[in-house]
Amino acid sequence: MSFTALNLHPNLVRAADSLGYTAPTPIQHRAIPAARDGRDILACAATGSGKTAAFMLPILHRLAARKRGTRALILAPTRELAAQIDEHRAALGRYTDLTGAAVFGGVGMGPQEMAFRRGADIIVATPGRLLDHLGRGYVNFDGIEIVVLDEADRMLDMGFLPDVRRIFATLPKRPRQTLLFSATLPAEIVQLASVLLRDPVRVDVERPPAPAAGVRHGVYSVSRDGKLPLLLDMLRQPDVRNVLAFTRTKHRADRLAGALVRSGVAADRIHGNRSQSQRTKALASFKTGTLRVLVATDIAARGIDVAGLSHVVNFDVPNEPDSYIHRVGRTGRVEAVGDAVTFVSPEEESDFRSIERAVRRPIVRLPVPVSTR
Ligand code: AMP
């Protein structure tokens, strides 16, 4: 099936086409017609499924019909995800005259205030920063028609649900279209959905939790001290084009990035103690290929989307299976195939076994090169 069959505005089909989207992904196929017709949606879909376009295309379609102030609000858990959704909005809306802005913390309030005052059509915001703006009197959400709650389960994990409820309380009452996307559906999200959504269409595209298809998984058993030599050895292989490496802590992220740079590898890191401009710069350099390795902690890396990412390395085993699935979800997107390898030290074996149980398949043990043992 092609995008034309979804009955979207021709300028949107043209934009999808220019981005190389030839056919809708399963979530797009199922969610777009219902959302275009104004239905509420409860969708279970993970990063990498094409979920952003699944809500952005119907929003652009509905708003393109007439212009009048801010009419769509998208809430996302992290700055990086908000920025990325806004990039999708600009790319998919390039042949429309709809405007938008990303609103998140760590950067000045001024330009964001201007976007509210101008009445940007589509606002993508993290909850905390949006509440800061809402307290200042210039935000006019009277015209809001469509609200998206993206990565609702991550909002829950990060403690944002009270903020989300406060934001919804400020929005005009019905008629309003609400779309809720979540990788998993814990009880709290089901409960929230029952309050926010009206007769929603349920869309389940991936049996949660399952790692993105197309990712080849492997594991190395290695001592704690053997991890850095092992990563350096991997980086000597030409097929390891670029690596998103995860550590458990900010401190370990700093140490790993520092050690890589000292070994001559173009590397940087993103985590909660880095400023927004440092994070944005590191991510941009990684996306353009100036950096070969980006070291990240779980929270900082949420929702990051890097086209053509060849390898995810779990330098440390994540402490919960859900983080593993999110980490490896960065590679093997839609049509690419990537590798996800995990470095497991003896003290991490038991955490790793619970991940293998959660992903419901054993992960291949790879031989550790002799030189790094
Ligand atoms: P998301 O799950 O929204 O984070 O999207 C994952 C990636 O898939 C992004 O890089 C999108 O640009 C890409 N993508 C979304 N829809 C399609 C499509 N129909 N065909 C090919 N790639 C897509």
Side-chain angles (χ1 to χ4, degrees):
M1 200 182 93
S2 72
F3 273 95
T4 324
L6 294 174
N7 282 334
L8 291 166
H9 194 285
N11 284 345
L12 300 177
V13 177
R14 198 171 141 215
D17 208 48
S18 70
L19 293 174
Y21 298 2
T22 43
T25 64
I27 178 89
Q28 291 165 359
H29 184 203
R30 303 201 28 217
I32 290 175
R36 188 203 54 214
D37 292 346
R39 295 288 304 269
D40 281 6
I41 290 187
L42 174 58
C44 215
T47 304
S49 58
K51 66 185 169 68
T52 314
F55 61 75
M56 195 58 79
L57 285 168
I59 289 178
L60 291 164
H61 178 86
R62 286 175 69 81
L63 299 195
R66 61 206 148 83
K67 261 185 76 70
R68 182 177 51 80
T70 303
R71 282 159 307 143
L73 171 66
I74 299 159
L75 295 174
T78 64
R79 303 160 181 186
E80 282 76 14
L81 185 60
Q84 202 168 280
I85 295 171
D86 191 52
E87 283 167 22
H88 266 78
R89 190 269 314 151
L92 290 168
R94 64 169 63 145
Y95 303 118
T96 70
D97 58 359
L98 295 167
T99 59
V103 169
F104 48 75
V107 294
M109 299 276 281
Q112 300 174 358
E113 176 183 340
M114 288 310 295
F116 284 115
R117 289 190 185 277
R118 274 198 317 272
D121 297 289
I122 301 167
I123 296 280
V124 188
T126 55
R129 175 54 74 97
L130 178 58
L131 282 170
D132 288 347
H133 283 289
L134 285 169
R136 295 183 177 205
Y138 45 72
V139 178
N140 181 354
F141 276 170
D142 292 351
I144 292 279
E145 296 168 14
I146 310 175
V147 186
V148 179
L149 193 56
D150 194 20
E151 305 214 347
D153 51 350
R154 195 46 56 162
M155 298 267 200
L156 168 73
D157 291 351
M158 293 173 74
F160 288 159
L161 287 201
D163 284 355
V164 167
R165 289 201 182 86
R166 284 173 59 202
I167 291 166
F168 270 88
T170 70
L171 298 176
K173 295 285 166 276
R174 316 243 131 95
R176 176 186 74 215
Q177 183 181 11
T178 311
L179 314 175
L180 190 154
F181 286 74
S182 198
T184 58
L185 290 179
E188 292 91 334
I189 297 301
V190 173
Q191 201 277 332
L192 183 72
S194 72
V195 179
L196 298 181
L197 305 178
R198 191 184 23 169
D199 185 23
V201 175
R202 260 301 286 267
V203 183
D204 287 295
V205 287
E206 265 151 327
R207 183 171 44 89
V215 180
R216 291 180 302 227
H217 301 248
V219 53
Y220 289 104
S221 301
V222 62
S223 68
R224 239 175 122 86
D225 293 341
K227 289 184 174 188
L228 177 62
L230 179 59
L231 180 55
L232 290 171
D233 184 75
M234 268 182 72
L235 290 166
R236 281 191 277 276
Q237 334 268 323
D239 65 313
V240 182
R241 286 192 313 277
N242 49 12
V243 173
L244 181 59
F246 287 93
T247 59
R248 255 196 206 200
T249 64
K250 300 169 196 170
H251 179 61
R252 281 179 62 77
D254 283 338
R255 281 190 25 203
L256 175 57
L260 288 169
V261 169
R262 283 192 296 280
S263 303
V265 177
D268 203 345
R269 73 277 188 215
I270 54 171
H271 56 63
N273 288 356
R274 306 277 290 158
S275 70
Q276 186 55 36
S277 65
Q278 288 170 323
R279 292 197 212 184
T280 308
K281 185 163 159 274
L283 189 57
S285 312
F286 187 57
K287 285 187 173 178
T288 55
T290 316
L291 290 178
R292 185 154 173 232
V293 180
L294 184 66
V295 185
T297 55
D298 284 297
I299 301 264
R302 279 296 304 163
I304 284 181
D305 179 21
V306 179
L309 178 63
S310 80
H311 285 71
V312 167
V313 170
N314 295 309
F315 196 78
D316 296 326
V317 173
N319 37 20
E320 45 173 80
D322 202 34
S323 301
Y324 179 85
I325 290 157
H326 279 114
R327 287 182 184 187
V328 304
R330 328 273 112 229
T331 182
R333 290 180 165 259
V334 187
E335 273 158 11
V337 173
D339 285 351
V341 296
T342 304
F343 295 181
V344 185
S345 65
E347 46 290 6
E348 293 172 314
E349 284 289 349
S350 80
D351 277 351
F352 189 69
R353 273 193 295 278
S354 42
I355 289 172
E356 281 189 307
R357 276 196 299 278
V359 301
R360 298 189 200 92
R361 58 169 112 134
I363 298 172
V364 193
R365 295 271 159 176
L366 302 166
V368 177
V370 180
S371 58
T372 65
R373 244 175 243 166

